[in-house]
Each structure stands twice: as structure tokens, then as C-alpha cells.
């Protein structure tokens, strides 16, 4: 098995897959963590900002759309990742495996 | 404030146990609730049928530990969401919204954001490398005996704390909802959980979790729709009427200062986010699907269901402000809610759906506890039989039959232990135990797991020293912190000033692992580093990964 693994490791398409997928995963992770940290720091340091009404005649405050938006963004980001990973990345992965197993 | 933060934390962290009111004070037992008991009996009957069906299909260890890898991504997503949507998060978060408004949303978001990170960084590598437990992955290229012992201890500590919290919470909740005696309730939960796991293994445990998740999501959706119907589907009316009747008025629409001290906030956030990625019963779920593709889908569906559920609890909490707090029928003579604030969602069920729906929601809350403790028991038993017995004691030479027998004996033992501890801790405040479980998971299981997958230079010695340092420092700081040192042991002043140790114990674990791995120049360390390449290729491509078992 060992040479199969080194064979894959040396395959430029494998290196391309790894580079692409890692980069994509880290960017999305940074985005999610960044959004969450901004939210936590807003709460910790400027709580009144989230308590401001979105318009003078609406009881809804900025915190509501931001909070709901954060929940939705978690869902959307996982969706974006799964779409690309299960499509493009898995096709590339299959091509790499086919190459060594034929 | 700190005590309140801790109580809330406990309440929210996936544990029915952390029942602030119920845990700290005596529970006022409710009259026997017939429709709730009928519906609960129907649930138990249905799940026992499933257990019987699953027992016919569970023959091998693969069936027992991972449902033969035949669960689909969608089903697994529901089951993962089920593990997360405990009775405590349903009743606890809606109660928090009921009392403080916006703060409830802040907490629920903290629980959700870990999931995308798990997907991006852990899910597929975990699936590609492991078979039954996360220790399979952590010990993949390291010394089996040492790493499996460490991971099994980490798992058992997490399971034990979590289980005690669950059992105590279950007893109190059932006393409250059904009017059953506390001891009867604890024994009932213990016996049922053992039956699911003992006979049905992972297949039954997963289906119990799926059914419960569907029931809970349906019930919560119905309540949220009825609340919105009450305000003619006008969300601003929901908020303006809530502001008008709530004692805190406008303040319920903004952060109420629950997250004040940035260090505590970050430490709590780390414990939640990375603790989830170190919980053995959650990690085990990734091995029930056939491949990395399905594992990714599971997280996508789970994130969707959990997020949807938190939005529902937010609406339910505001609905309770409108419909429960204004109705004297739900209050006692002093003006407090009957059964405490955690009953806000339960009273709302009565207000929008009558006594039949109230019975339904109570039965679902009970079902939720059962499903969660069953998953925990299975994770604990797997750590003993698969990691300690088969890999450490028998050095990988155990036959399947013996391994299964050890697992089943462990399940029985854990069931008895859970009942005994549930009764022993009846009068104790166990809210801190869930915090401790998450902190240990984030400081011991998570660092070893993630570095074994990502860092070539990790060696057995580094993982051992850093992992144990993380485990011990998390427990010690928790004991010396305000939660146990002051609140439980009654000392004047805490030796360690913060209530969540995760920020510090995680740093200790990571530095410990990094330094001692780097310093390790032994021959075996060189071999372990060399094995990273094949592991890396397998984790990326799934080549050689254990797949679905065909029947």
C-alpha cells in the first residue's frame, strides 16, 4: 500500500485538490469565526448598538436581524462548502483514485 | 451575575440536567398528567419496537458501534441535531428568552457556530480515518496503548459528568412534568436507556434520536406558528406587544449584559465550539454514515435543523411573554410561573394547544432525555470495549464476540452507575458538570484529535503529556474556580478567578503537545512522523477508509 500512497502524494492533481480544499475550508472557517467574534465583541463592548431600533417606528432592534443573520450564515456557509466539496472536489478525488487503481 | 451566567450555561448546554430552578431548589411535584403519560408510553412502545427490529439486524461489532455505516446523511443530520436539541435547550433557551429576551438568542448562536467549523476542518478527515470511535483517529499513527487509554479516559470523564447531569435533570423534569416520584423517574430512564443500547446498539440509538428530533421539531414549529398566528403573522407586533407587557420593557430587545467580561466570554465560546468537536457521542455519529460525502451532508442538515430550532425557541420565548406571563392561570400566589421559568414553553403549549398538546410536549421532553442518555451510554461503552478492551488489553487480537460482550456488560454497568449517581446527586447542584464535560472535551479530546490529523510532528509522548495536562488542568481549574470552590464548596474566594477554564486549559494542552512532540527525538517518534504521509493521503482521499458494511 505504501507506494500507492506516495504515488498519490506525488500526483500533481492530488496536490491541487489538497491546496484548493484546504484553502477553501480555512477561508470559510475564518469567515464564520470572524462573524461570530465581531458579534461577541459588539455585545461585550458596545451593547447599545445592537439595542438600537432599525427605524424609529419599529420595535425591532439591529440585534435581531444580526442574530438571525448569523444563524442563517452558518447554514449558508456549510451549504456552500458541501456543494463544492461533494461536487468539484469529489470529482477530482475520484479521478485521482481511479488513476492509481486502474 | 457569575452564578447566573453559569446556571444559564448549564441550562443551555445540551443537557436536560442543568435545570437551574429544579436543581437548586426542591421541585414542587405536579399532579399526575394522564395524557402526557399516555403519549409517553406510546413513544416508549414505538421505540422498543424499533429496538427489537434493530436487534435483529445488529450482529457484528460494526452494526453495534456504527449501525453498519448505513445511515444516510439526512438521517444522521437529524440524529446529530437530536443530540443537540435536548430538553434543556428547548425549555432552557425559551425560558431565557422569556425572562431576558435577546440574551436567549446570543446563547443559542454560541451553540451553533461550532458546527460549520466542525464541517470545514474535522468531519471528512474523521470519517476517512476512523472506524468506530474518535480514538481510532487519534491513535492512527501513534502508539495504540497510550493514546487509546488517554482518549478512553477523556471520553469516560466527559460521559460520566454529562450522564450525572442528565440523570439528575431527567428525574427533576419528570417529577415536574408527569408527577412521578424522582427515584422512579431515574430508574425508568436508566432501564430504558440500557434496553435501547444493549439490544439495539447504534441503529436503535440513532432511530430513537431521529424520531425524537422529528417530534420535537414538529411540536416547536406548531407552537411558533400558533404564536405568529396570534399576532396575525406580524413580527413587529409580536415584539411591540412583548415589550409592552414585559417587566423589563424595551430592554428585552437588546443584549442584557450576560456576556460582560471578555475573558469569560471567549473562554465559554471556546468551550462550546471546540468542546462540541471533542464530545465522544457526537464524534461517534460520523462513523454511522458510509463515506465523507455523507458525513459532510450530515453536518449541513444538522446545522440547518439546529439553526431552525433556535429560531423557533426565540419565537416561542416571545410567545410565552405574550400568552403565558399575562395569564394568571399559569402563575402561583406570588406571581411566579408554576414550576419555575423553565416551564414557560410547557405552559405555552397549554395556552396554544390545550391539555392534549401539553401532554405531547411533556412526552417529547421526556423522550429527548432518553435519546441523549442512550447516545452517551453507547459512547462510554465503546470507549471501554473498543478502545480499552480490544485495543489496549487484547492488543487488537480480541474476537468480535468477546468485544461485543464486554461492551454489553459495560452498558449494564453504566446503566446501574447512572441510576446510583442520579440518586446520589439528587440534592446537589450539578449544573457545573456540563460545563466541566465541555471543558474537558475541548482541552483533552479535541487537541489530540485535531493535531493527530493536521500536524505531522505530533508524537505519542507529546500527545500523552499535553493531553493529560489539558485534562487535569481543566478539572483542577474548574474545582478551584468560582463554580465549585465558592458555590459548591462554600469557600470565600475563588483561587482561579474565571468560571470557564477552557481558554487556559486549551492553551496548556496545545503548548504541552507541541513542546514535548518537538523535543521527542526517539526512534519511534521518527516512525510516527513517517506514518503521517499515508495517513494524510487517506484522510484526504478516503483511500482504505472503512465503508458501509453490506448485508
Amino acid at each position: 500500500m505504501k507506494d500507492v500512497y506516495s504515488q498519490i502524494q506525488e500526483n500533481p492533481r492530488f496536490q491541487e485538490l489538497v491546496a484548493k480544499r484546504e484553502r477553501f475550508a480555512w477561508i470559510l472557517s475564518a469567515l464564520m469565526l470572524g462573524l461570530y467574534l465581531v458579534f461577541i465583541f459588539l455585545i461585550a463592548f458596545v451593547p447599545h448598538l445592537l439595542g438600537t431600533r432599525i427605524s424609529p417606528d419599529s420595535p425591532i432592534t439591529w440585534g435581531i436581524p444580526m442574530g438571525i443573520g448569523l444563524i442563517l450564515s452558518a447554514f449558508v456557509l456549510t451549504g456552500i462548502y458541501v456543494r463544492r466539496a461533494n461536487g468539484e472536489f469529489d470529482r477530482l478525488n475520484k479521478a485521482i483514485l481511479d488513476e492509481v487503481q486502474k | 451575575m457569575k452564578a447566573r451566567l453559569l446556571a444559564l450555561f448549564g441550562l443551555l448546554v445540551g443537557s436536560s440536567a442543568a435545570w437551574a430552578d429544579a436543581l437548586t431548589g426542591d421541585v414542587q411535584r405536579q399532579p399526575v398528567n394522564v395524557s402526557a403519560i399516555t403519549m409517553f408510553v406510546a413513544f416508549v412502545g414505538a421505540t422498543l419496537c424499533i429496538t427489537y427490529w434493530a436487534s435483529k439486524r445488529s450482529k457484528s461489532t460494526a452494526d453495534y458501534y456504527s449501525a453498519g455505516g448505513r445511515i444516510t446523511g439526512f438521517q444522521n443530520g437529524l440524529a446529530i441535531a437530536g443530540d443537540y436539541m435536548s430538553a434543556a435547550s428547548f425549555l432552557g433557551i425559551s425560558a431565557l428568552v422569556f425572562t431576558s429576551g435577546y440574551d436567549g438568542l446570543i446563547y443559542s448562536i454560541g451553540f451553533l457556530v461550532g458546527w460549520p467549523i466542525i464541517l470545514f476542518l474535522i468531519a471528512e478527515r474523521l470519517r476517512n480515518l476512523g472506524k468506530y470511535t474518535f480514538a481510532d483517529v487519534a491513535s492512527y499513527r501513534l502508539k495504540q496503548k497510550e493514546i487509546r487509554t488517554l482518549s478512553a479516559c477523556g471520553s469516560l470523564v466527559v460521559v460520566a459528568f454529562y450522564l450525572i447531569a442528565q440523570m439528575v435533570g431527567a428525574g427533576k423534569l419528570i417529577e415536574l412534568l408527569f408527577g412521578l416520584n424522582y427515584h422512579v423517574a431515574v430508574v425508568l430512564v436508566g432501564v430504558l436507556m440500557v434496553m435501547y443500547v444493549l439490544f439495539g446498539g447504534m441503529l436503535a440509538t440513532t432511530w430513537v434520536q431521529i424520531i425524537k428530533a422529528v417530534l420535537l421539531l414538529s411540536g416547536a414549529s406548531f407552537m411558533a406558528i400558533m404564536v405568529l398566528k396570534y399576532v396575525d403573522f406580524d413580527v413587529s407586533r409580536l415584539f411591540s406587544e412583548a415589550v409592552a407587557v414585559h417587566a423589563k420593557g424595551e430592554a428585552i430587545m437588546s443584549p442584557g449584559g450576560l456576556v460582560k467580561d471578555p475573558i469569560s466570554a471567549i473562554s465559554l465560546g471556546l468551550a462550546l465550539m471546540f468542546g462540541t468537536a471533542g464530545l465522544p457521542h457526537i464524534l461517534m455519529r460520523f462513523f454511522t454514515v458510509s463515506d465523507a460525502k455523507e458525513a459532510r451532508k450530515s453536518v449541513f442538515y444538522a446545522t440547518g435543523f439546529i439553526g431552525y430550532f433556535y429560531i423557533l425557541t426565540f419565537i416561542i420565548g416571545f410567545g410565552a411573554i405574550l400568552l403565558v406571563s399575562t395569564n394568571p392561570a399559569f402563575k402561583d400566589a406570588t406571581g411566579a410561573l408554576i414550576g419555575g421559568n423553565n416551564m414557560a414553553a410547557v405552559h405555552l403549549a397549554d395556552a396554544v394547544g390545550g391539555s392534549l398538546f401539553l401532554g405531547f410536549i411533556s412526552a417529547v421532553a421526556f423522550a429527548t432525555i432518553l435519546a441523549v442518555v442512550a447516545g452517551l451510554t453507547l459512547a462510554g461503552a465503546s470507549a471501554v470495549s473498543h478502545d480499552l478492551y480490544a485495543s489496549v488489553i487484547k492488543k487488537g487480537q480480541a474476537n468480535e464476540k468477546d468485544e461485543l460482550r464486554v461492551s454489553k456488560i459495560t452498558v449494564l454497568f453504566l446503566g446501574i452507575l447512572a441510576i446510583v449517581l442520579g440518586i446520589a446527586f439528587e440534592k446537589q447542584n450539578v449544573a457545573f458538570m456540563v460545563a466541566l464535560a465541555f471543558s474537558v472535551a475541548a482541552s483533552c479530546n479535541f487537541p489530540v484529535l485535531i493535531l493527530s490529523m493536521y500536524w505531522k510532528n505530533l508524537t505519542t509522548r507529546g500527545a500523552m503529556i499535553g493531553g493529560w495536562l489539558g485534562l487535569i488542568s481543566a478539572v483542577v481549574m474548574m474545582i478551584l474556580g468560582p463554580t465549585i470552590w465558592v458555590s459548591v464548596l462554600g469557600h470565600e474566594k475563588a483561587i482561579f478567578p474565571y468560571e470557564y477554564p477552557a481558554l487556559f486549559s486549551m492553551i496548556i494542552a496545545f503548548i504541552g503537545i507541541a513542546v514535548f512532540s518537538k523535543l521527542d527525538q526517539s526512534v519511534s517518534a521518527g516512525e510516527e512522523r513517517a506514518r503521517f504521509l499515508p495517513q494524510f493521503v487517506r484522510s484526504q482521499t478516503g483511500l482504505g477508509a472503512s465503508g458501509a458494511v453490506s448485508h
Side-chain angles (χ1 to χ4, degrees):
Chain A
M1 273 315 244
K2 191 171 190 289
D3 44 338
V4 178
Y5 286 124
S6 3
Q7 222 177 309
I8 294 179
Q9 163 76 9
E10 282 150 21
N11 187 338
R13 290 163 85 180
F14 174 74
Q15 286 157 12
E16 181 199 337
L17 169 71
V18 171
K20 269 189 182 169
R21 189 161 59 193
E22 303 274 271
R23 207 172 136 243
F24 193 49
W26 284 107
I27 289 174
L28 290 180
S29 303
L31 209 59
M32 186 75 248
L33 280 175
L35 286 174
Y36 181 59
L37 278 181
V38 167
F39 183 67
I40 287 295
F41 283 126
L42 282 180
I43 293 165
F45 298 112
V46 271
H48 59 272
L49 195 76
L50 292 174
T52 315
R53 293 174 168 224
I54 51 174
S55 76
D57 50 342
S58 165
I60 298 172
T61 52
W62 278 108
I64 307 281
M66 284 175 82
I68 305 284
L70 206 51
I71 292 179
L72 291 181
S73 68
F75 182 61
V76 170
L77 289 178
T78 54
I80 292 172
Y81 181 80
V82 171
R83 201 185 143 84
R84 190 157 175 217
N86 281 6
E88 183 194 336
F89 295 153
D90 269 4
R91 272 195 301 279
L92 200 56
N93 192 16
K94 190 170 176 300
I96 295 163
L97 289 178
D98 285 349
E99 210 170 293
V100 291
Q101 282 170 338
K102 65 179 173 227
Chain B
M1 177 51 68
K2 290 209 164 172
R4 188 161 157 228
L5 196 67
L6 180 89
L8 287 168
F9 171 70
L11 265 175
L12 297 170
V13 183
S15 125
S16 4
W19 225 260
D21 291 355
L23 289 174
T24 45
D26 277 334
V27 175
Q28 185 189 0
R29 201 190 299 171
Q30 301 297 299
V32 174
N33 182 336
V34 177
S35 67
I37 291 178
T38 314
M39 269 180 267
F40 178 69
V41 169
F43 172 84
V44 169
T47 48
L48 287 178
C49 287
I50 287 175
T51 307
Y52 178 74
W53 164 80
S55 72
K56 295 273 162 210
R57 292 171 54 118
S58 293
K59 299 275 179 278
S60 64
T61 45
D63 293 326
Y64 184 78
Y65 292 128
S66 65
R70 286 175 310 236
I71 304 291
T72 67
F74 180 77
Q75 291 165 348
N76 195 37
L78 261 177
I80 291 175
D83 272 327
Y84 234 55
M85 302 182 298
S86 60
S89 55
F90 176 53
L91 302 181
I93 294 180
S94 51
L96 179 55
V97 176
F98 176 73
T99 51
S100 318
Y102 190 72
D103 283 338
L105 192 62
I106 300 175
Y107 268 80
S108 52
I109 288 170
F111 286 90
L112 188 68
V113 291
W115 282 105
I117 310 291
I118 290 179
L119 170 68
F120 304 148
L121 302 181
I122 296 175
E124 62 194 58
R125 291 185 184 218
L126 188 71
R127 179 64 196 85
N128 282 339
L129 292 174
K131 204 172 168 199
Y132 303 142
T133 64
F134 82 91
D136 291 339
V137 182
S139 66
Y140 190 86
R141 68 191 157 96
L142 304 180
K143 288 205 189 77
Q144 295 290 314
K145 190 180 146 202
E146 284 83 354
I147 299 300
R148 289 213 188 247
T149 309
L150 169 69
S151 297
C153 290
S155 297
L156 286 171
V157 168
V158 171
V159 166
F161 285 130
Y162 222 117
L163 206 55
I164 294 175
Q166 291 285 346
M167 292 305 283
V168 175
K172 305 265 176 173
L173 179 68
I174 290 162
E175 197 169 12
L176 209 60
L177 291 179
F178 291 81
L180 286 176
N181 174 282
Y182 177 88
H183 296 140
V184 174
V186 167
V187 172
L188 192 62
V189 170
V191 169
L192 282 171
M193 104 188 167
V194 166
M195 284 179 73
Y196 292 146
V197 181
L198 195 59
F199 299 112
M202 184 51 113
L203 190 58
T205 307
T206 303
W207 277 103
V208 169
Q209 198 62 272
I210 291 174
I211 294 174
K212 164 231 133 169
V214 171
L215 290 176
L216 184 56
L217 283 170
S218 320
S221 299
F222 175 76
M223 283 165 74
I225 290 171
M226 294 305 281
V227 167
L228 291 176
K229 188 165 162 260
Y230 178 78
V231 291
D232 296 322
F233 296 96
D234 178 358
V235 181
S236 16
R237 218 184 108 195
L238 174 68
F239 292 129
S240 55
E241 289 195 16
V243 169
V245 299
H246 200 283
K248 291 179 188 160
E250 193 96 9
I252 59 170
M253 297 302 292
S254 59
L258 281 173
V259 188
K260 229 178 207 153
D261 150 29
I263 298 214
S264 288
I266 293 168
S267 203
L268 172 68
L270 285 174
L272 291 183
M273 190 175 288
F274 298 115
T276 306
L279 292 178
H281 63 299
I282 298 267
L283 292 172
M284 234 185 138
R285 292 229 166 269
F286 286 98
F287 306 119
T288 65
V289 292
S290 57
D291 53 22
K293 200 190 254 323
E294 294 297 315
R296 292 185 203 113
K297 280 195 212 161
S298 335
V299 186
F300 172 64
Y301 290 119
T303 310
F305 287 127
I306 297 169
Y308 171 67
F309 176 73
Y310 286 150
I311 294 176
L312 292 181
T313 53
F314 191 58
I315 299 173
I316 289 169
F318 271 91
I321 295 175
L322 289 193
L323 296 164
V324 175
S325 74
T326 53
N327 188 340
F330 298 125
K331 293 182 173 176
D332 62 20
T334 61
L337 273 197
I338 297 172
N341 283 332
N342 288 316
M343 297 294 279
V346 176
H347 290 315
L348 183 68
D350 195 1
V352 300
S355 66
L356 203 64
F357 187 64
L358 170 71
F360 175 77
I361 287 294
S362 304
V364 168
F366 195 168
T368 292
I369 296 168
L370 275 181
V372 173
V373 291
L376 283 170
T377 308
L378 183 59
S382 309
V384 172
S385 60
H386 182 61
D387 297 328
L388 288 182
Y389 173 76
S391 304
V392 174
I393 297 174
K394 290 282 174 180
K395 307 207 169 15
Q397 304 299 314
N399 71 45
E400 265 193 34
K401 233 176 107 193
D402 288 341
E403 188 177 332
L404 268 181
R405 208 179 62 230
V406 170
S407 190
K408 294 190 169 183
I409 293 169
T410 313
V411 169
L412 267 180
F413 176 75
L414 283 175
I416 294 166
L417 188 73
I419 292 172
V420 170
L421 291 176
I423 290 170
F425 280 84
E426 181 186 351
K427 304 280 180 220
Q428 305 292 317
N429 183 347
V430 294
F432 68 90
M433 287 193 180
V434 179
L436 192 52
F438 265 71
S439 300
V440 169
S443 318
C444 171
N445 301 354
F446 173 73
V448 175
L449 178 65
I450 190 105
L451 289 178
S452 74
M453 295 193 289
Y454 276 87
W455 194 43
K456 185 182 175 214
N457 286 320
L458 176 74
T459 69
T460 302
R461 194 187 296 165
M464 282 294 290
I465 297 176
W468 283 110
L469 277 177
L471 202 168
I472 293 164
S473 64
V475 174
V476 170
M477 282 191 249
M478 195 82 193
I479 292 173
L480 298 182
T483 319
I484 298 181
W485 198 252
V486 179
S487 308
V488 178
L489 298 177
H491 291 271
E492 189 81 353
K493 202 169 160 355
I495 296 171
F496 175 75
Y498 305 101
E499 60 237 87
Y500 309 113
L503 177 62
F504 305 95
S505 53
M506 278 179 79
I507 292 175
I508 291 175
F510 275 106
I511 291 180
I513 295 174
V515 168
F516 287 97
S517 292
K518 274 285 185 194
L519 291 177
D520 188 357
Q521 295 303 334
S522 60
V523 181
S524 62
E527 289 165 6
E528 284 161 0
R529 290 183 186 119
R531 283 198 289 268
F532 184 75
L533 169 71
Q535 179 196 310
F536 180 71
V537 172
R538 173 168 161 175
S539 75
Q540 291 286 349
T541 61
L543 180 67
S546 66
V549 181
S550 52
H551 273 256

